[in-house]
Amino acid sequence: MPENLDPSEQSELRLLSRSPHPYHHQNSDLLDPSDHLAYKSPANPRSTRPVRHSTSREITPSSDSGTEADDEHFLKGLPAPRRWRKGLRGRNEVLSGTSTPIPSPALLEEEGGRPYYNLKREPHLTAKKPRDPAEALRRRRELVRRFTELLIIGSLGTAVRTNPHVQPIWLRWNRELYAGMAVSASLVLLYPLRLVMWAYRHRTPSRRLPICVPSSFDPAPLIYPPAIALLVSLLLSVDNEAVLVPNIVLAVGSLPPSLIPAISDVDQICDPLHWVLSCTPLVLAARKLASDGAGPASATVSLEAASLLYPLHQNLCSILRTLTTTSLLTAELQLLSIALINLLLLSSSPQAVILKIMLWVGGLDILISCTQTIQWGVSLARVPKWRFKRMSTPSKLRPTLFSTIMSWRRVRHDLFHAPVDSLSCSSCEAFDDHEDSDDLGSVAPKGPFRVKTMPDGGDSAGVDGNHGAPPSTGHKITSSNVDPELVPSPPRRHSLPSTENVVRKSHTHTPSGRRKRAASNSVRAFFSLTQEQAAIRKWVYAVYVYICIASAVLLPIPFAGVRVAVRDAALHGNEPVGWALGYLFGNLSWFRWEVISRSLERWICLPPRSLDEAQLSHEMGWVELFRQSYLGEANTRLALSAYFLAIIVLGLIVVFRLSPVYEVDTRRKVFHFMMVTMLLPATYVDPTFVALALSIMLALFLLLDLLRASQLPPLSKPLASFLAPYVDGRDLRGPVVISHIFLLIGCAIPLWLSLGSLPRAGAGYLEGWAVPTREASMVSGVVCVGLGDAAASLIGRRYGRQKWFWGGGKSLEGSVAFAAAVFFGLMAARLWLRVGGWPATDGNSDAWTVSARKMGVCAATASLTEAVLTGGNDNVVVPVVLWTCAKSLGI
């Protein structure tokens, strides 16, 4: 590296060099595709040279989904928005919405690659550079891709707006909806104007409109959180209108902070102006919220609570970002926060209340009690074994005065040249054989030393005393210029020891001059432990965490224990354990006899033996009639549980058999087919039981992944070993393994949303645990994730040849396979509804030809969304889009 350059220029040249450490940078930020758009203001503009930047490669964003032919490669991951590394999460992130806005998503294209100085002094730099044709083509392709994404969202909005059940609600709340959309559109349209004003205020642009959006710009955080919140809330408001206004507030509050002009330069989580803008729809809805209200069985949100949704959303996003670090993208974090807030404030059915209690009550209990302990466990697991303190050896006996004066080992050494310790004595070796000694009559000093290579010339730095001069080369030792008596036998290399001018190994810098990354204080605190003490400390942490988890479930304290909260809020005061026993085993004769004979009816709730003919509806299908009158509802749930368990065991056997033969993606798709086999036929039989089972499995998955990430014994290593063969690039972005969690969420969300939009039935202790109607959109998540994604991956990998126009790893063949699988899955679901005889929801009784056209539209929409999506996980976003399309079209 040239020495006459400034330190800043040296650092930039270092970034462009082919270093053996390609991910090591001098600053704390990772390089980003938009880093070439940054400016620098040198102190001396005259001596500043224009910085040349390397040619940017084509960045083809992808969603790591199944239509890619080679998505197992980790480098094919998403060009995610700028996120801190795991160790930098505690830093204060610079806001891009300051009063002098940072140019984001992009600033001047031709000025972004050169430093800031007066261009009039450099006439040769003012010449317009020719535009790269490849870059222009990439920009056009990306423009088509983003326009397609906007077209999909617009089409979904039109379908929801024209739904006959949504039209009355739209007319009633149109002022609030238009106000929220007007605020969002105004902020988006004013942002380029702010950039232009900022550019003209701080520099002299070379063109009139100095704005250029890069091809790597991903508008997912701007599109999906507000749009999905509004569209889903409109469909859910058919059953409860109180859902709509809070989601309008959350839609405005989820806009990116860079769109909001900051009124102060103080780094803060909640922007005051953003808060005021999010409350704009509440001003128009104040009278309606005060005068009207939903039914007593529906959840409502007061005006005061709605005004606090923005700070709740921002703080919840901050907490989730701290917990998941780099595992989730920005749009995924926003959607997760919106879903949790809706679950907290608007859940009314027993299944939704149980899910809320498990995530909010149990999650907060574990978060508060175990956060510090889990951090200690992770820090302790990061310490390598060689850094622990070694066991202290037993101390030697203190020597006596006689042993000090007359040592028997010293006497043996002086008389018989015996070694003093286990190592051989160098003086004895020299006494025994002079020819084998490599020393020129001197004894090697004690202590650490560095061995020098014997030079080829006659002058040696270790002999003549000229330590500063380098050894001469090119001269051979001959008998004419050197006395043979003074020349020893030919020495071996690295055999002349010397402690002079020894270059000590630096503890702070590498041999190449880079500064070493020091261990954090949290890790350094455990260096004083021995390995045995560290193992004991891990078990102590693990026992404490397990006790806290058990206490969070069983603690008999209202609003703090999961069991008590479920009893009071979801089960009408019934004990959860006894209620669950009656819910599953209540129709078994021997179980009923034991309960009645032991007088346990107050603890275990038993269902009625059989329904009377008067209670049986003539509109029931044969499946529902057989379930209620012959088999029994509890026996049906028990049979479904046994069916689920059998499918899981069979699927695991198949996966273990395929592990040594097939690739990772093929083995992963076995789990997708397991979800289809379990949920597609069982959902219509008892949808509330399936929803409850999915809620419990989600809580269990989150808890097990927490134990795996905490690296505490004894469950951490077995869980990590089991999941390791099935992870992909998305799981390697952070500490959370998201594949199996998002697979479960993608299958469950459409069912949860459908149950939230349908009326409830049931009596007694099972009030709210029955749904009188069914609809095809209940299984849209299973069809999308289980069939569509698996078919797209298997077909796209093997037969995918034609790529989409905008590039990337998605193939047309894979997208066609996705659409075909979704279409036939929806057709099979509708056929099962007709064969089973379940009554359909109003508006879902179309002819087969009309239903086929609607299903084709839904399948094409889902496939196109999966092809263009880059800023979110397709296992979550695409099922929600498919459910929205199917629900709005009335399939």
Side-chain angles (χ1 to χ4, degrees), residues 205-254:
S206 60
R207 60 180 185 177
R208 184 172 299 177
L209 188 62
I211 297 178
C212 185
V213 180
S215 58
S216 60
F217 173 65
D218 192 353
L222 178 63
I223 297 176
Y224 289 105
I228 290 179
L230 288 177
L231 296 179
V232 172
S233 63
L234 280 171
L235 293 173
L236 293 179
S237 60
V238 175
D239 184 64
N240 183 13
E241 292 188 9
V243 176
L244 185 58
V245 175
N247 281 276
I248 297 176
V249 177
L250 290 174
V252 179
S254 63

Side-chain angles (χ1 to χ4, degrees), residues 469-522:
S472 59
T473 58
H475 297 84
K476 294 183 178 180
I477 301 176
T478 59
S479 58
S480 59
N481 55 5
V482 179
D483 190 358
E485 296 181 356
L486 300 178
V487 178
S489 59
R492 296 186 296 271
R493 289 196 64 187
H494 304 288
S495 60
L496 182 61
S498 175
T499 58
E500 301 171 355
N501 294 334
V502 174
V503 180
R504 297 292 181 181
K505 184 177 180 180
S506 176
H507 296 285
T508 58
H509 292 77
T510 62
S512 60
R514 297 188 181 96
R515 186 175 182 83
K516 291 183 178 180
R517 188 170 55 185
S520 61
N521 294 330
S522 59

Side-chain angles (χ1 to χ4, degrees), residues 101-108 184-200 208-213 217 222 258-259:
I102 295 178
S104 172
L107 192 63
L108 321 177
S184 303
S186 301
L187 293 174
V188 172
L189 294 177
L190 287 177
Y191 184 64
L193 180 61
R194 291 173 52 219
L195 287 181
V196 172
M197 295 175 59
W198 187 85
Y200 276 98
R208 184 172 299 177
L209 188 62
I211 297 178
C212 185
V213 180
F217 173 65
L222 178 63
S258 57
L259 297 179

Side-chain angles (χ1 to χ4, degrees), residues 350 570-574 579 605-608 633 761-770:
L571 302 181
H572 309 288
N574 296 308
W579 183 93
C605 301
L606 295 177
E633 295 182 358
Y765 77 99
L766 291 178
E767 182 182 357
W769 288 88

Side-chain angles (χ1 to χ4, degrees), residues 220-407:
L222 178 63
I223 297 176
Y224 289 105
I228 290 179
L230 288 177
L231 296 179
V232 172
S233 63
L234 280 171
L235 293 173
L236 293 179
S237 60
V238 175
D239 184 64
N240 183 13
E241 292 188 9
V243 176
L244 185 58
V245 175
N247 281 276
I248 297 176
V249 177
L250 290 174
V252 179
S254 63
L255 293 174
S258 57
L259 297 179
I260 312 299
I263 58 179
S264 65
D265 296 334
V266 180
D267 188 7
Q268 50 192 354
I269 298 179
C270 299
D271 186 272
L273 181 58
H274 200 174
W275 192 351
V276 172
L277 292 176
S278 67
C279 295
T280 303
L282 297 178
V283 178
L284 302 176
R287 292 184 177 180
K288 296 179 182 178
L289 292 177
S291 59
D292 300 339
S298 301
T300 59
V301 178
S302 62
L303 186 63
E304 293 79 7
S307 63
L308 298 176
L309 288 177
Y310 170 75
L312 175 62
H313 172 67
Q314 295 298 325
N315 286 275
L316 184 58
C317 284
S318 177
I319 295 174
L320 293 174
R321 187 181 297 110
T322 303
L323 294 176
T324 60
T325 63
T326 55
S327 297
L328 298 181
L329 301 178
T330 304
E332 296 169 354
L333 278 174
Q334 298 281 343
L335 289 173
L336 179 58
S337 176
I338 292 174
L340 289 175
I341 293 175
N342 277 274
L343 186 65
L344 174 65
L345 301 178
L346 300 170
S347 57
S348 58
S349 64
Q351 300 82 29
V353 171
I354 291 176
L355 179 61
K356 175 186 72 173
I357 293 172
M358 287 189 296
L359 295 182
W360 279 97
V361 178
L364 286 178
D365 288 345
I366 297 174
L367 179 65
I368 294 173
S369 60
C370 300
T371 298
Q372 189 61 51
T373 306
I374 291 176
Q375 289 179 356
W376 290 340
V378 173
S379 301
L380 184 57
R382 292 172 56 191
V383 180
K385 293 182 178 180
W386 62 271
R387 294 302 299 268
F388 288 118
K389 183 180 178 181
R390 297 185 179 181
M391 291 291 295
S392 58
T393 58
S395 58
K396 297 181 180 181
L397 296 177
R398 297 183 61 181
T400 61
L401 179 61
F402 178 77
S403 62
T404 305
I405 298 174
M406 184 64 66
S407 175

